[in-house]
Structure formats: C-alpha cells, structure tokens
Amino acid sequence: MTRAEELENRLRLLVNFGGVVSKETNLNRLLELIAEQVKTILNCDRCSVFILDRQTNELWSKVALGMQHTEIRVPFGKGIAGHVASSGLTLNIQDVYKDDRFTHEIDRLTGYRSRSILAVPLKNVGGHIIGVFEAMNKNGSQFDIDDEGILQLISSLAASGIENAQLYESLSKSQLETIYRLAVTAEYRDQQDTAIHLRHISEYSALIAHGLGLPEREVENIRYASPLHDIGKVGIADAILLKPGKLTTDEFEEMKKHTVYGAKILCNAESALLQIACKVAGSHHEKFDGTGYPAKLKGPQIPIYARIVSVADVFDALCMPRVYKPRWDAEKAREYILEESGKSFDPEVVGAFDKVYGEILKMQAIGDGKTTIIPGITKELHRHNY
Ligand code: C2E
Ligand code: SIN
Ligand code: SIN
Ligand code: FE
C-alpha cells in the first residue's frame, strides 16, 4: 500500500469507528469494541483501555485471562499507563522492558510479552483525564508519528462514548438512587403510588422513544431522565399540591412553576443525562400547538425528550387516581391522547405511542408494586406512602 492508500484506508476505518462507538451504552461491551477497532486501525496485537477511578485513584482495565476477563488495577502515577494519566503526555516506547516506568506486573499476571507500547491519555470534552489508551506490539514495525496522531484522535472520539457509558454505570447505583429519592420526595406528597408512577413514566417514555426509532442511547437517556420530570413539585406548597378539588386560577399559576423549579434544580448539574432531565422538567407541559407552559414553546422548539415524556406523563396521570380526580380507563386515556394529537402532542410521538400501546398496557399491568425502579427502593417508598 502507498502512504496515500494507507491514510485513506485509515480514514475509512476512523469514520466507521465513530459510528460504532456512538451506539454502545454498555461500558464493558464498548471497551471491547474499541479495543477490537484499535487493533485493526493501528495494525497491532493488543489494545488496552485503562479507566481512571477517582474514588481510589487507580486505573482499571479488563484483561483476558484464558477464557475469563479479569479487572486489573494500577495506582495513578505507576506503570506506563499511570505515567500517562498523571502527566497527560503521550508515550511511544519501542521496548518497554528497557523502560524503568514499566512494572512488568501485568505481563507477569497475563503471561503476555509486551514489546512496544503507544499510550495516550483519554480526555473528556472538558480536557480532564478520564483514562489511558494503550496500543501494544505493533505488527512488524514500530509505532510511528502517524500512529500517535491516530491513537490521539481515536481517544478523543472514544472519550465521550466512554463517559456516557460510565454515566449509566455510576448512575444506575448510588447517584441514581439519590436522584430517585429526591424525585420521590417531590412526588410522594401528591401521589399514592409514586414508585409505580415513576416506573411507568420511565418505561412508557422509553417504549415511545423506541417506537419513534430513536437510537438506543437516546432511548436510554429518556428512560433515566424522564422520572425526574416533576421534581420541581418539591417547591409547591401542600395547600396547593394536595388540594382535593379543582385549583383556582392563582393556584394553578403557582402550580405551573414546578416546571421552572425543576429546570433550576437540574440545570446546574454537569452530567449530560441531568441536562436532558433538565429539559424534560422544564418543558414537559409545553404543548405542540404553543398553548402550554411555562414558555409557550411550539412544535420542534420543544425538546424531543419533553414531547415524549409529555405523552407518557398525561397517559399515566389519567390512568392513576389523583387527589383531584378518579382514575380513567386505559382505553379512554388512549382516546384522549389520540384526540390531542397536533394540539397538546406531537403527532409523530402520538403515532409511536399508539404503535407501542400494547406494550404500554403490559407494563401497566405489572406495575403492581413488585417492580422497582432501583432494586430495593420500593419497599421503603411504600412505608412513606399514605
Ligand atoms: P399531574 O396530576 O401529574 O398531571 C399531569 C398532567 O396530566 C396534567 O398537567 C394534565 O395535562 C394531565 N391530566 C391530569 N388529570 C387530568 C384530567 O382529569 N383531565 C385532563 N384532560 N388532563 C389531565 P397539568 O394540567 O398542567 O397539571 C400539572 C399538575 O398540576 C398536575 O400533575 C397536578 O399535580 C396539578 N393539578 C392540575 N390540576 C389540578 C387540580 O384541579 N387540583 C389539584 N389539586 N392539582 C391539580
Ligand atoms: C501498562 O501497560 O501501562 C502497565 C504495565 C506496567 O507498566 O506495568
Ligand atoms: C437500575 O437502576 O438498575 C435501572 C433503573 C430502571 O429500571 O429504570
Ligand atoms: Fe408536571
């Protein structure tokens, strides 16, 4: 291959790489995918991705040991990866056994014989180091300056995918639990079965997003962000929120502020997911025809996340009893949603809702308190409920 052909070939692989990594939200599968791609693009024998764990100040990586995958951990600052993470500089080492930064520990564990290592820092959009990329044992030659540039480019392409996947991992545990507890605090006052309502909103919104043909990542974004839509109700007084009858005009004006409060609570967050949650909280009562609140946004001005959650929210609100109204039959609620197509709701979203309606009904049927948004949390919720 001429150099021009080689560059063209690499460019093609890189374009493909961008498409591949932007779709995978499972961190382990994503890391494996990236490693495979890097091996092909750089024509080397192995690729390791080390991820910085800020809690322990270690870098971890998954390595294949026989048929199994084991997690290995390197202290920040130690070994090749640790040096790259702490210095932020690229290292291109021809023979690591002659380099005293190399610790041999991983080779001893895996039985692998490292020769050349090209290691670049993995930085997020904010420029913070979130890990290290290593390509190992270039086939037939040494890693050159082109390889360095390409690995740096790959690393920047991969970083946002990795951060996103990490987000789901970390959010699905402690952070998610905190957020949902907050959402529950906001909602348990006015709803008998908050956990079920939040679960419904989450599942219905994801089903609709899927029905719309949104990419898997967007479906997951909506799944996790949607239960926070009414978090701003924490700012609404009991006298209004719990009023058994119809609200006066003034009271409803006050009630409308839950959208603005919710957006305020969530918008300071740095995480991409909470930014989406912020849009949902702020715009889930906007209407497609521009008659909603708080900003009277119209059509595509309303974030797609909010257009989806709005349908899920109204459908579930209608199907659940409220202090101010009895529950509706699902079929009556469905008819209402269809009637409001083009008025309250985006017709495309309503179309997707109708397409997945059967699955929504199935979800509704199993929402009997045995399902949990976060394992272990539902029981406790029921203690708070009246
Ligand atoms: P929510 O109870 O979660 O209801 C969410 C949305 O579902 C409502 O947004 C509305 O679009 C729809 N919805 C709920 N019940 C009905 C209904 O009986 N008929 C129709 N056509 N739509 C219904 P909306 O209206 O902007 O209200 C936002 C929030 O304000 C409600 O959340 C609820 O917390 C409160 N709210 C609204 N109306 C009343 C009321 O008359 N009394 C009390 N106490 N609270 C109210
Ligand atoms: C690494 O591959 O960066 C860790 C190997 C070592 O330095 O022991
Ligand atoms: C989880 O926290 O494990 C998933 C949350 C969900 O089911 O939406
Ligand atoms: Fe709301």
Side-chain angles (χ1 to χ4, degrees):
M1 255 195 280
T2 66
R3 188 176 146 85
E5 280 168 349
E6 198 176 303
L7 284 178
E8 198 186 311
N9 188 35
R10 284 183 157 187
L11 191 63
R12 202 166 32 74
L13 290 167
L14 279 174
V15 169
N16 179 50
F17 178 82
V20 168
V21 299
S22 65
K23 288 191 190 78
E24 182 57 69
T25 50
N26 176 287
L27 184 58
N28 283 330
R29 282 203 300 268
L30 178 65
L31 294 177
E32 276 173 31
L33 246 170
I34 289 172
E36 274 311 307
Q37 297 267 321
V38 167
K39 274 170 26 182
T40 312
I41 298 172
L42 288 187
N43 187 24
C44 63
D45 187 53
R46 195 167 173 146
C47 169
S48 302
V49 187
F50 291 83
I51 304 290
L52 181 58
D53 180 341
R54 291 195 185 277
Q55 239 128 52
T56 61
N57 224 16
E58 289 169 326
L59 292 155
W60 64 263
S61 180
K62 289 266 157 73
V63 294
L65 279 183
M67 295 308 286
Q68 278 167 311
H69 283 260
T70 303
E71 186 174 299
I72 47 172
R73 288 183 167 259
V74 190
F76 189 72
K78 213 173 158 244
I80 305 295
H83 269 91
V84 171
S86 57
S87 68
L89 299 174
T90 293
L91 283 179
N92 184 353
I93 302 167
Q94 318 248 303
D95 182 355
V96 286
Y97 278 55
K98 292 192 184 134
D99 192 304
D100 34 341
R101 288 169 295 203
F102 189 70
T103 67
H104 299 263
E105 272 167 37
I106 296 175
D107 273 11
R108 256 198 296 273
L109 183 71
T110 58
Y112 189 75
R113 172 65 167 89
S114 303
R115 293 187 311 273
S116 54
I117 291 187
L118 173 60
V120 305
L122 192 58
K123 291 183 188 167
N124 66 11
V125 275
H128 295 292
I129 291 181
I130 61 167
V132 174
F133 244 65
E134 284 188 0
M136 268 168 277
N137 294 2
K138 174 88 176 175
N139 292 329
S141 59
Q142 314 286 356
F143 291 108
D144 60 19
I145 187 102
D146 286 346
D147 295 326
E148 289 180 26
I150 287 191
L151 195 59
Q152 282 158 0
L153 184 59
I154 290 176
S155 142
S156 63
L157 288 174
S160 70
I162 290 175
E163 256 203 330
N164 236 309
Q166 271 182 305
L167 195 69
Y168 295 121
E169 302 251 311
S170 58
L171 276 175
S172 67
K173 299 181 190 99
S174 58
Q175 241 178 316
L176 246 197
E177 187 167 318
T178 308
I179 291 166
Y180 280 88
R181 277 178 196 280
L182 200 58
V184 164
T185 315
E187 291 212 28
Y188 85 93
R189 293 187 296 151
D190 74 320
Q191 284 163 36
Q192 309 283 320
D193 268 311
T194 308
I196 293 174
H197 176 60
L198 293 183
R199 173 80 185 187
H200 285 169
I201 296 288
S202 172
E203 298 289 344
Y204 299 171
S205 300
L207 281 170
I208 296 169
H210 186 75
L212 268 175
L214 295 189
E216 192 197 342
R217 169 164 302 174
E218 296 294 357
V219 174
E220 293 310 300
N221 280 335
I222 289 169
R223 185 193 304 285
Y224 291 105
S226 55
L228 301 175
H229 69 286
D230 266 346
I231 201 161
K233 282 185 179 173
V234 280
I236 305 297
D238 281 359
I240 294 175
L241 191 66
L242 302 183
K243 184 174 170 177
K246 215 172 152 38
L247 300 177
T248 65
T249 311
D250 284 352
E251 286 167 339
F252 194 57
E253 283 310 308
E254 185 56 32
M255 187 67 221
K256 286 179 178 175
K257 292 185 188 159
H258 79 279
T259 51
V260 180
Y261 295 157
K264 265 206 187 130
I265 291 169
L266 294 164
C267 284
N268 290 325
E270 239 177 80
S271 101
L273 186 62
L274 294 185
Q275 289 297 334
I276 293 170
C278 166
K279 289 188 181 146
V280 170
S283 302
H284 71 279
H285 288 296
E286 297 292 355
K287 293 188 176 175
F288 197 70
D289 64 8
T291 61
Y293 62 87
K296 292 191 165 35
L297 298 180
K298 208 172 173 168
Q301 291 178 321
I302 308 167
I304 182 67
Y305 309 105
R307 277 180 267 150
I308 292 171
V309 172
S310 150
V311 169
D313 180 34
V314 172
F315 179 76
D316 198 52
L318 293 174
C319 293
M320 301 284 268
R322 291 282 193 268
V323 284
Y324 63 92
K325 66 156 206 58
R327 75 166 76 232
W328 291 20
D329 279 348
E331 192 47 38
K332 188 177 162 203
R334 172 176 165 267
E335 277 163 21
Y336 178 80
I337 300 288
L338 298 187
E339 270 164 36
E340 286 293 311
S341 176
K343 295 182 241 168
S344 294
F345 309 123
D346 179 345
E348 281 184 45
V349 175
V350 173
F353 164 84
D354 211 34
K355 192 165 102 184
V356 300
Y357 181 68
E359 286 164 83
I360 286 179
L361 277 189
K362 269 186 234 156
M363 259 316 299
Q364 192 178 46
I366 60 167
D368 58 359
K370 290 194 191 91
T371 52
T372 56
I373 291 170
I374 296 166
I377 203 172
T378 301
K379 267 198 202 93
E380 190 161 333
L381 295 181
H382 281 192
R383 276 214 309 271
H384 290 299
N385 280 336
Y386 32 74

